[in-house]
Amino acid sequence: MVLVLVLTSVTVACGTSTTATPATSPTQVPTGTAIETPPTATPTQAKTPSMGPLVRVEDLVFPVELADTPDKRIRGLSGRVSLESGTGMLFIFEKPERFRFWMREMEITLDIVWIGSNCEVVDVSENVPFPDPETPLDELPRFSPESRAKFVLEINGGEAAESGLGVGDAVEFLSDIAGKYGC
């Protein structure tokens, strides 16, 4: 179970539902390209599906699961033994904060992409390791961005570096969430 702790008196957890995520990889799409056809497993695919929530970071598009309510943020990716390559979970918060995430009973390494309310990547916590299951909660490391974030995109560990994703990258929400949250 991955837990999220907001020091601003809000506690949330990264968790997961047990539903399967479609097999895809981040899809590179030039900015302004129409969303038309389903992607293949190549990260250089020019078009993406028009179904389901999508997050574009520069020219990469990630199909995502949403954690847009307190219950979903608490559940997040907990219980997940894997995350399909090129996909992620997008945490949506009501206001920007310096959230602190902590891992518990997690079985996969993650990259945490912190996104500001200006729809730019403000920080990336790369290769956040999963702890030993016996680690007491008060001894778990905490991960937090350098700047306030309103959104958090969790992807597989190493995918941010492999794809060149970094601070200052523009973020846009597509498909089901286009225009809904300000990005």
Side-chain angles (χ1 to χ4, degrees):
M1 176 187 323
V2 181
L3 297 179
V4 179
L5 172 65
V6 179
L7 286 182
T8 59
S9 77
V10 178
T11 302
V12 226
C14 302
T16 317
S17 64
T18 57
T19 58
T21 304
T24 57
S25 59
T27 305
Q28 293 187 355
V29 178
T31 303
T33 301
I35 308 303
E36 298 173 4
T37 59
T40 62
T42 66
T44 57
Q45 179 68 34
K47 298 181 183 182
T48 56
S50 59
M51 62 188 120
L54 302 169
V55 175
R56 181 197 322 248
V57 181
E58 290 295 325
D59 59 352
L60 298 170
V61 174
F62 295 89
V64 296
E65 296 175 55
L66 295 182
D68 57 353
T69 66
D71 287 342
K72 289 178 182 179
R73 289 189 298 258
I74 289 168
R75 191 173 45 253
L77 290 171
S78 64
R80 182 77 51 100
V81 295
S82 67
L83 182 62
E84 192 67 43
S85 178
T87 68
M89 179 167 276
L90 180 66
F91 291 77
I92 300 170
F93 295 94
E94 288 73 28
K95 62 182 186 170
E97 298 289 343
R98 287 196 63 216
F99 300 104
R100 295 188 71 189
F101 281 47
W102 52 324
M103 308 302 185
R104 182 176 131 189
E105 298 176 14
M106 189 65 188
E107 297 183 40
I108 57 175
T109 300
L110 296 173
D111 287 345
I112 303 174
V113 181
W114 308 91
I115 303 166
S117 56
N118 64 349
C119 303
E120 287 187 2
V121 174
V122 297
D123 203 355
V124 180
S125 300
E126 294 185 12
N127 292 307
V128 173
F130 55 91
D132 180 307
E134 302 301 317
T135 304
L137 291 179
D138 62 346
E139 294 179 20
L140 291 174
R142 272 62 170 180
F143 302 89
S144 185
E146 291 295 319
S147 300
R148 291 176 185 237
K150 185 173 180 188
F151 311 101
V152 175
L153 174 62
E154 290 185 338
I155 57 178
N156 279 303
E159 285 186 339
E162 288 173 16
S163 61
L165 188 154
V167 174
D169 285 353
V171 176
E172 181 181 9
F173 298 157
L174 306 172
S175 192
D176 291 359
I177 56 175
K180 189 170 181 182
Y181 300 103
C183 287

PDB file of all heavy atoms in Angstrom, residues 49-79:
ATOM      1  N   PRO A  49      -5.393   7.451 -28.117  1.00  0.00           N
ATOM      2  CA  PRO A  49      -6.817   7.160 -28.130  1.00  0.00           C
ATOM      3  C   PRO A  49      -7.639   8.347 -27.647  1.00  0.00           C
ATOM      4  O   PRO A  49      -7.166   9.178 -26.907  1.00  0.00           O
ATOM      5  CB  PRO A  49      -6.951   5.985 -27.160  1.00  0.00           C
ATOM      6  CG  PRO A  49      -5.782   6.094 -26.262  1.00  0.00           C
ATOM      7  CD  PRO A  49      -4.685   6.711 -27.087  1.00  0.00           C
ATOM      8  N   SER A  50      -8.902   8.401 -28.084  1.00  0.00           N
ATOM      9  CA  SER A  50      -9.785   9.469 -27.635  1.00  0.00           C
ATOM     10  C   SER A  50     -10.617   9.009 -26.446  1.00  0.00           C
ATOM     11  O   SER A  50     -11.545   9.681 -26.059  1.00  0.00           O
ATOM     12  CB  SER A  50     -10.691   9.910 -28.780  1.00  0.00           C
ATOM     13  OG  SER A  50     -11.452   8.822 -29.223  1.00  0.00           O
ATOM     14  N   MET A  51     -10.285   7.859 -25.884  1.00  0.00           N
ATOM     15  CA  MET A  51     -11.021   7.364 -24.737  1.00  0.00           C
ATOM     16  C   MET A  51     -10.139   7.350 -23.498  1.00  0.00           C
ATOM     17  O   MET A  51      -8.948   7.195 -23.584  1.00  0.00           O
ATOM     18  CB  MET A  51     -11.545   5.966 -25.024  1.00  0.00           C
ATOM     19  CG  MET A  51     -10.435   4.968 -25.279  1.00  0.00           C
ATOM     20  SD  MET A  51     -11.077   3.408 -25.839  1.00  0.00           S
ATOM     21  CE  MET A  51     -10.275   3.317 -27.421  1.00  0.00           C
ATOM     22  N   GLY A  52     -10.757   7.557 -22.348  1.00  0.00           N
ATOM     23  CA  GLY A  52     -10.027   7.515 -21.086  1.00  0.00           C
ATOM     24  C   GLY A  52      -9.189   8.748 -20.847  1.00  0.00           C
ATOM     25  O   GLY A  52      -8.848   9.479 -21.771  1.00  0.00           O
ATOM     26  N   PRO A  53      -8.861   9.011 -19.582  1.00  0.00           N
ATOM     27  CA  PRO A  53      -8.045  10.178 -19.260  1.00  0.00           C
ATOM     28  C   PRO A  53      -6.605  10.005 -19.734  1.00  0.00           C
ATOM     29  O   PRO A  53      -6.035   8.921 -19.625  1.00  0.00           O
ATOM     30  CB  PRO A  53      -8.134  10.271 -17.737  1.00  0.00           C
ATOM     31  CG  PRO A  53      -8.660   8.964 -17.264  1.00  0.00           C
ATOM     32  CD  PRO A  53      -9.306   8.278 -18.412  1.00  0.00           C
ATOM     33  N   LEU A  54      -6.052  11.086 -20.248  1.00  0.00           N
ATOM     34  CA  LEU A  54      -4.680  11.093 -20.751  1.00  0.00           C
ATOM     35  C   LEU A  54      -3.967  12.318 -20.208  1.00  0.00           C
ATOM     36  O   LEU A  54      -4.562  13.386 -20.073  1.00  0.00           O
ATOM     37  CB  LEU A  54      -4.658  11.161 -22.278  1.00  0.00           C
ATOM     38  CG  LEU A  54      -5.382  10.049 -23.037  1.00  0.00           C
ATOM     39  CD1 LEU A  54      -5.485  10.406 -24.520  1.00  0.00           C
ATOM     40  CD2 LEU A  54      -4.655   8.731 -22.862  1.00  0.00           C
ATOM     41  N   VAL A  55      -2.669  12.166 -19.933  1.00  0.00           N
ATOM     42  CA  VAL A  55      -1.836  13.285 -19.507  1.00  0.00           C
ATOM     43  C   VAL A  55      -0.687  13.406 -20.495  1.00  0.00           C
ATOM     44  O   VAL A  55       0.057  12.449 -20.705  1.00  0.00           O
ATOM     45  CB  VAL A  55      -1.285  13.071 -18.082  1.00  0.00           C
ATOM     46  CG1 VAL A  55      -0.312  14.179 -17.702  1.00  0.00           C
ATOM     47  CG2 VAL A  55      -2.425  12.995 -17.078  1.00  0.00           C
ATOM     48  N   ARG A  56      -0.568  14.606 -21.095  1.00  0.00           N
ATOM     49  CA  ARG A  56       0.552  14.878 -21.988  1.00  0.00           C
ATOM     50  C   ARG A  56       1.592  15.679 -21.201  1.00  0.00           C
ATOM     51  O   ARG A  56       1.265  16.702 -20.611  1.00  0.00           O
ATOM     52  CB  ARG A  56       0.109  15.693 -23.197  1.00  0.00           C
ATOM     53  CG  ARG A  56       1.269  15.972 -24.160  1.00  0.00           C
ATOM     54  CD  ARG A  56       1.038  17.083 -25.174  1.00  0.00           C
ATOM     55  NE  ARG A  56      -0.285  17.157 -25.716  1.00  0.00           N
ATOM     56  CZ  ARG A  56      -0.597  16.895 -26.988  1.00  0.00           C
ATOM     57  NH1 ARG A  56       0.330  16.518 -27.826  1.00  0.00           N
ATOM     58  NH2 ARG A  56      -1.830  17.029 -27.403  1.00  0.00           N
ATOM     59  N   VAL A  57       2.821  15.194 -21.216  1.00  0.00           N
ATOM     60  CA  VAL A  57       3.950  15.913 -20.644  1.00  0.00           C
ATOM     61  C   VAL A  57       4.902  16.137 -21.811  1.00  0.00           C
ATOM     62  O   VAL A  57       5.501  15.182 -22.305  1.00  0.00           O
ATOM     63  CB  VAL A  57       4.637  15.140 -19.507  1.00  0.00           C
ATOM     64  CG1 VAL A  57       5.787  15.954 -18.926  1.00  0.00           C
ATOM     65  CG2 VAL A  57       3.641  14.753 -18.425  1.00  0.00           C
ATOM     66  N   GLU A  58       4.981  17.410 -22.262  1.00  0.00           N
ATOM     67  CA  GLU A  58       5.691  17.757 -23.494  1.00  0.00           C
ATOM     68  C   GLU A  58       5.128  16.900 -24.626  1.00  0.00           C
ATOM     69  O   GLU A  58       3.968  17.009 -24.933  1.00  0.00           O
ATOM     70  CB  GLU A  58       7.205  17.605 -23.332  1.00  0.00           C
ATOM     71  CG  GLU A  58       7.811  18.648 -22.419  1.00  0.00           C
ATOM     72  CD  GLU A  58       7.729  20.080 -22.923  1.00  0.00           C
ATOM     73  OE1 GLU A  58       7.830  20.328 -24.133  1.00  0.00           O
ATOM     74  OE2 GLU A  58       7.552  20.974 -22.079  1.00  0.00           O
ATOM     75  N   ASP A  59       5.930  15.993 -25.218  1.00  0.00           N
ATOM     76  CA  ASP A  59       5.424  15.196 -26.334  1.00  0.00           C
ATOM     77  C   ASP A  59       5.139  13.743 -25.953  1.00  0.00           C
ATOM     78  O   ASP A  59       4.978  12.886 -26.800  1.00  0.00           O
ATOM     79  CB  ASP A  59       6.364  15.270 -27.530  1.00  0.00           C
ATOM     80  CG  ASP A  59       7.762  14.779 -27.220  1.00  0.00           C
ATOM     81  OD1 ASP A  59       8.066  14.519 -26.041  1.00  0.00           O
ATOM     82  OD2 ASP A  59       8.572  14.671 -28.165  1.00  0.00           O
ATOM     83  N   LEU A  60       5.036  13.457 -24.653  1.00  0.00           N
ATOM     84  CA  LEU A  60       4.699  12.117 -24.172  1.00  0.00           C
ATOM     85  C   LEU A  60       3.270  12.107 -23.666  1.00  0.00           C
ATOM     86  O   LEU A  60       2.846  13.043 -22.982  1.00  0.00           O
ATOM     87  CB  LEU A  60       5.622  11.706 -23.022  1.00  0.00           C
ATOM     88  CG  LEU A  60       7.103  11.619 -23.351  1.00  0.00           C
ATOM     89  CD1 LEU A  60       7.895  11.454 -22.070  1.00  0.00           C
ATOM     90  CD2 LEU A  60       7.363  10.467 -24.298  1.00  0.00           C
ATOM     91  N   VAL A  61       2.530  11.062 -23.969  1.00  0.00           N
ATOM     92  CA  VAL A  61       1.159  10.941 -23.494  1.00  0.00           C
ATOM     93  C   VAL A  61       1.036   9.652 -22.683  1.00  0.00           C
ATOM     94  O   VAL A  61       1.406   8.579 -23.151  1.00  0.00           O
ATOM     95  CB  VAL A  61       0.151  10.944 -24.666  1.00  0.00           C
ATOM     96  CG1 VAL A  61      -1.257  10.681 -24.174  1.00  0.00           C
ATOM     97  CG2 VAL A  61       0.222  12.273 -25.406  1.00  0.00           C
ATOM     98  N   PHE A  62       0.507   9.813 -21.464  1.00  0.00           N
ATOM     99  CA  PHE A  62       0.316   8.687 -20.554  1.00  0.00           C
ATOM    100  C   PHE A  62      -1.173   8.447 -20.321  1.00  0.00           C
ATOM    101  O   PHE A  62      -1.865   9.345 -19.833  1.00  0.00           O
ATOM    102  CB  PHE A  62       0.948   8.981 -19.187  1.00  0.00           C
ATOM    103  CG  PHE A  62       2.438   9.127 -19.199  1.00  0.00           C
ATOM    104  CD1 PHE A  62       3.022  10.360 -19.432  1.00  0.00           C
ATOM    105  CD2 PHE A  62       3.252   8.031 -18.955  1.00  0.00           C
ATOM    106  CE1 PHE A  62       4.402  10.507 -19.435  1.00  0.00           C
ATOM    107  CE2 PHE A  62       4.639   8.167 -18.953  1.00  0.00           C
ATOM    108  CZ  PHE A  62       5.209   9.409 -19.196  1.00  0.00           C
ATOM    109  N   PRO A  63      -1.688   7.255 -20.636  1.00  0.00           N
ATOM    110  CA  PRO A  63      -3.031   6.896 -20.164  1.00  0.00           C
ATOM    111  C   PRO A  63      -2.952   6.790 -18.637  1.00  0.00           C
ATOM    112  O   PRO A  63      -1.997   6.222 -18.100  1.00  0.00           O
ATOM    113  CB  PRO A  63      -3.288   5.527 -20.784  1.00  0.00           C
ATOM    114  CG  PRO A  63      -2.303   5.420 -21.914  1.00  0.00           C
ATOM    115  CD  PRO A  63      -1.112   6.218 -21.487  1.00  0.00           C
ATOM    116  N   VAL A  64      -3.931   7.372 -17.939  1.00  0.00           N
ATOM    117  CA  VAL A  64      -3.870   7.390 -16.482  1.00  0.00           C
ATOM    118  C   VAL A  64      -5.174   6.948 -15.848  1.00  0.00           C
ATOM    119  O   VAL A  64      -6.239   7.051 -16.439  1.00  0.00           O
ATOM    120  CB  VAL A  64      -3.508   8.797 -15.943  1.00  0.00           C
ATOM    121  CG1 VAL A  64      -2.112   9.213 -16.369  1.00  0.00           C
ATOM    122  CG2 VAL A  64      -4.541   9.841 -16.342  1.00  0.00           C
ATOM    123  N   GLU A  65      -5.046   6.468 -14.638  1.00  0.00           N
ATOM    124  CA  GLU A  65      -6.172   6.272 -13.739  1.00  0.00           C
ATOM    125  C   GLU A  65      -6.220   7.532 -12.895  1.00  0.00           C
ATOM    126  O   GLU A  65      -5.177   8.120 -12.594  1.00  0.00           O
ATOM    127  CB  GLU A  65      -5.932   5.057 -12.843  1.00  0.00           C
ATOM    128  CG  GLU A  65      -5.842   3.746 -13.598  1.00  0.00           C
ATOM    129  CD  GLU A  65      -5.491   2.602 -12.664  1.00  0.00           C
ATOM    130  OE1 GLU A  65      -6.220   2.404 -11.658  1.00  0.00           O
ATOM    131  OE2 GLU A  65      -4.492   1.930 -12.926  1.00  0.00           O
ATOM    132  N   LEU A  66      -7.405   7.957 -12.503  1.00  0.00           N
ATOM    133  CA  LEU A  66      -7.540   9.173 -11.714  1.00  0.00           C
ATOM    134  C   LEU A  66      -7.709   8.882 -10.229  1.00  0.00           C
ATOM    135  O   LEU A  66      -8.434   7.962  -9.845  1.00  0.00           O
ATOM    136  CB  LEU A  66      -8.745   9.983 -12.176  1.00  0.00           C
ATOM    137  CG  LEU A  66      -8.695  10.548 -13.584  1.00  0.00           C
ATOM    138  CD1 LEU A  66      -9.964  11.357 -13.851  1.00  0.00           C
ATOM    139  CD2 LEU A  66      -7.460  11.400 -13.802  1.00  0.00           C
ATOM    140  N   ALA A  67      -7.048   9.686  -9.421  1.00  0.00           N
ATOM    141  CA  ALA A  67      -7.259   9.728  -7.977  1.00  0.00           C
ATOM    142  C   ALA A  67      -7.718  11.153  -7.703  1.00  0.00           C
ATOM    143  O   ALA A  67      -6.932  12.026  -7.355  1.00  0.00           O
ATOM    144  CB  ALA A  67      -5.976   9.378  -7.236  1.00  0.00           C
ATOM    145  N   ASP A  68      -9.026  11.388  -7.919  1.00  0.00           N
ATOM    146  CA  ASP A  68      -9.566  12.745  -7.871  1.00  0.00           C
ATOM    147  C   ASP A  68     -10.551  12.980  -6.730  1.00  0.00           C
ATOM    148  O   ASP A  68     -11.189  14.022  -6.671  1.00  0.00           O
ATOM    149  CB  ASP A  68     -10.208  13.107  -9.215  1.00  0.00           C
ATOM    150  CG  ASP A  68     -11.300  12.143  -9.636  1.00  0.00           C
ATOM    151  OD1 ASP A  68     -11.494  11.102  -8.973  1.00  0.00           O
ATOM    152  OD2 ASP A  68     -11.965  12.422 -10.654  1.00  0.00           O
ATOM    153  N   THR A  69     -10.659  12.020  -5.836  1.00  0.00           N
ATOM    154  CA  THR A  69     -11.484  12.181  -4.639  1.00  0.00           C
ATOM    155  C   THR A  69     -10.633  11.738  -3.446  1.00  0.00           C
ATOM    156  O   THR A  69      -9.651  11.001  -3.612  1.00  0.00           O
ATOM    157  CB  THR A  69     -12.751  11.309  -4.700  1.00  0.00           C
ATOM    158  OG1 THR A  69     -12.359   9.929  -4.661  1.00  0.00           O
ATOM    159  CG2 THR A  69     -13.585  11.601  -5.949  1.00  0.00           C
ATOM    160  N   PRO A  70     -11.012  12.154  -2.235  1.00  0.00           N
ATOM    161  CA  PRO A  70     -10.234  11.714  -1.069  1.00  0.00           C
ATOM    162  C   PRO A  70     -10.111  10.190  -0.977  1.00  0.00           C
ATOM    163  O   PRO A  70      -9.023   9.673  -0.715  1.00  0.00           O
ATOM    164  CB  PRO A  70     -11.016  12.289   0.119  1.00  0.00           C
ATOM    165  CG  PRO A  70     -11.667  13.522  -0.439  1.00  0.00           C
ATOM    166  CD  PRO A  70     -12.044  13.139  -1.858  1.00  0.00           C
ATOM    167  N   ASP A  71     -11.194   9.468  -1.217  1.00  0.00           N
ATOM    168  CA  ASP A  71     -11.135   7.999  -1.146  1.00  0.00           C
ATOM    169  C   ASP A  71     -10.187   7.409  -2.184  1.00  0.00           C
ATOM    170  O   ASP A  71      -9.425   6.500  -1.888  1.00  0.00           O
ATOM    171  CB  ASP A  71     -12.525   7.383  -1.310  1.00  0.00           C
ATOM    172  CG  ASP A  71     -13.404   7.583  -0.091  1.00  0.00           C
ATOM    173  OD1 ASP A  71     -12.877   7.888   1.001  1.00  0.00           O
ATOM    174  OD2 ASP A  71     -14.629   7.431  -0.229  1.00  0.00           O
ATOM    175  N   LYS A  72     -10.238   7.929  -3.397  1.00  0.00           N
ATOM    176  CA  LYS A  72      -9.356   7.426  -4.452  1.00  0.00           C
ATOM    177  C   LYS A  72      -7.906   7.783  -4.161  1.00  0.00           C
ATOM    178  O   LYS A  72      -6.996   7.007  -4.455  1.00  0.00           O
ATOM    179  CB  LYS A  72      -9.762   7.972  -5.815  1.00  0.00           C
ATOM    180  CG  LYS A  72     -11.047   7.384  -6.341  1.00  0.00           C
ATOM    181  CD  LYS A  72     -11.412   7.997  -7.678  1.00  0.00           C
ATOM    182  CE  LYS A  72     -12.713   7.461  -8.217  1.00  0.00           C
ATOM    183  NZ  LYS A  72     -13.069   8.091  -9.507  1.00  0.00           N
ATOM    184  N   ARG A  73      -7.663   8.970  -3.595  1.00  0.00           N
ATOM    185  CA  ARG A  73      -6.282   9.350  -3.247  1.00  0.00           C
ATOM    186  C   ARG A  73      -5.759   8.472  -2.121  1.00  0.00           C
ATOM    187  O   ARG A  73      -4.590   8.111  -2.095  1.00  0.00           O
ATOM    188  CB  ARG A  73      -6.207  10.837  -2.891  1.00  0.00           C
ATOM    189  CG  ARG A  73      -6.390  11.721  -4.101  1.00  0.00           C
ATOM    190  CD  ARG A  73      -6.094  13.180  -3.799  1.00  0.00           C
ATOM    191  NE  ARG A  73      -6.967  13.756  -2.814  1.00  0.00           N
ATOM    192  CZ  ARG A  73      -7.994  14.560  -3.085  1.00  0.00           C
ATOM    193  NH1 ARG A  73      -8.284  14.879  -4.343  1.00  0.00           N
ATOM    194  NH2 ARG A  73      -8.714  15.064  -2.114  1.00  0.00           N
ATOM    195  N   ILE A  74      -6.625   8.129  -1.180  1.00  0.00           N
ATOM    196  CA  ILE A  74      -6.207   7.245  -0.094  1.00  0.00           C
ATOM    197  C   ILE A  74      -5.872   5.864  -0.636  1.00  0.00           C
ATOM    198  O   ILE A  74      -4.864   5.273  -0.285  1.00  0.00           O
ATOM    199  CB  ILE A  74      -7.299   7.160   0.994  1.00  0.00           C
ATOM    200  CG1 ILE A  74      -7.367   8.486   1.741  1.00  0.00           C
ATOM    201  CG2 ILE A  74      -7.047   6.002   1.958  1.00  0.00           C
ATOM    202  CD1 ILE A  74      -8.591   8.632   2.624  1.00  0.00           C
ATOM    203  N   ARG A  75      -6.689   5.352  -1.529  1.00  0.00           N
ATOM    204  CA  ARG A  75      -6.485   4.019  -2.117  1.00  0.00           C
ATOM    205  C   ARG A  75      -5.318   4.045  -3.099  1.00  0.00           C
ATOM    206  O   ARG A  75      -4.485   3.154  -3.093  1.00  0.00           O
ATOM    207  CB  ARG A  75      -7.770   3.563  -2.805  1.00  0.00           C
ATOM    208  CG  ARG A  75      -7.765   2.122  -3.210  1.00  0.00           C
ATOM    209  CD  ARG A  75      -9.112   1.640  -3.737  1.00  0.00           C
ATOM    210  NE  ARG A  75      -9.739   2.546  -4.682  1.00  0.00           N
ATOM    211  CZ  ARG A  75     -10.796   3.320  -4.427  1.00  0.00           C
ATOM    212  NH1 ARG A  75     -11.344   3.321  -3.252  1.00  0.00           N
ATOM    213  NH2 ARG A  75     -11.298   4.103  -5.352  1.00  0.00           N
ATOM    214  N   GLY A  76      -5.273   5.072  -3.968  1.00  0.00           N
ATOM    215  CA  GLY A  76      -4.193   5.230  -4.928  1.00  0.00           C
ATOM    216  C   GLY A  76      -3.707   3.935  -5.551  1.00  0.00           C
ATOM    217  O   GLY A  76      -4.489   3.179  -6.091  1.00  0.00           O
ATOM    218  N   LEU A  77      -2.422   3.668  -5.454  1.00  0.00           N
ATOM    219  CA  LEU A  77      -1.819   2.461  -6.042  1.00  0.00           C
ATOM    220  C   LEU A  77      -1.595   1.343  -5.019  1.00  0.00           C
ATOM    221  O   LEU A  77      -0.849   0.412  -5.281  1.00  0.00           O
ATOM    222  CB  LEU A  77      -0.491   2.818  -6.719  1.00  0.00           C
ATOM    223  CG  LEU A  77      -0.610   3.652  -7.987  1.00  0.00           C
ATOM    224  CD1 LEU A  77       0.755   4.132  -8.468  1.00  0.00           C
ATOM    225  CD2 LEU A  77      -1.298   2.890  -9.092  1.00  0.00           C
ATOM    226  N   SER A  78      -2.244   1.413  -3.881  1.00  0.00           N
ATOM    227  CA  SER A  78      -2.043   0.364  -2.874  1.00  0.00           C
ATOM    228  C   SER A  78      -2.524  -0.984  -3.399  1.00  0.00           C
ATOM    229  O   SER A  78      -3.507  -1.061  -4.128  1.00  0.00           O
ATOM    230  CB  SER A  78      -2.774   0.711  -1.572  1.00  0.00           C
ATOM    231  OG  SER A  78      -4.155   0.754  -1.768  1.00  0.00           O
ATOM    232  N   GLY A  79      -1.773  -2.006  -3.057  1.00  0.00           N
ATOM    233  CA  GLY A  79      -2.121  -3.355  -3.473  1.00  0.00           C
ATOM    234  C   GLY A  79      -1.646  -3.720  -4.862  1.00  0.00           C
ATOM    235  O   GLY A  79      -1.802  -4.853  -5.297  1.00  0.00           O
TER     236      GLY A  79
END
